[in-house]
Amino acid sequence: MDKYSDLPTTLTAPAREAAAIVPSDGDDLASLPRAIFVGTAGDVAVTMAGGQSVTLRGVAAGSTLPIRVRRVLATGTTAADLVALW
């Protein structure tokens, strides 16, 4: 039973869905996540929802990045086990 199923999913609510991210220099994610979980430490190169490109350096393993991105780039991303959260 889910006591919270009738509540709206907001950016501050816990994620309800997740999917592995395969970094790509040419393909956007199917849907913009509201956060990214980083399983293995490293750098995460992304294209933000607003179109800016940035590399987040030295992200620790187990971090959850509260960022909305359209693409996780293969070039420049050394972190692994990335998971999109919705």
Side-chain angles (χ1 to χ4, degrees):
M1 180 168 107
D2 183 358
K3 293 181 183 181
Y4 305 103
S5 63
D6 292 336
L7 296 177
T9 300
T10 66
L11 289 177
T12 58
R16 290 183 174 205
E17 297 180 47
I21 294 175
V22 177
S24 170
D25 290 335
D27 295 323
D28 287 347
L29 299 174
S31 177
L32 273 68
R34 56 185 165 151
I36 296 174
F37 174 80
V38 179
T40 302
D43 298 343
V44 182
V46 299
T47 302
M48 299 296 293
Q52 308 86 352
S53 292
V54 65
T55 299
L56 304 163
R57 301 207 181 273
V59 180
S63 295
T64 299
L65 304 173
I67 57 175
R68 307 223 36 227
V69 303
R70 65 171 70 166
R71 184 176 297 175
V72 176
L73 301 164
T75 301
T77 295
T78 59
D81 305 311
L82 304 174
V83 179
L85 302 171
W86 292 278

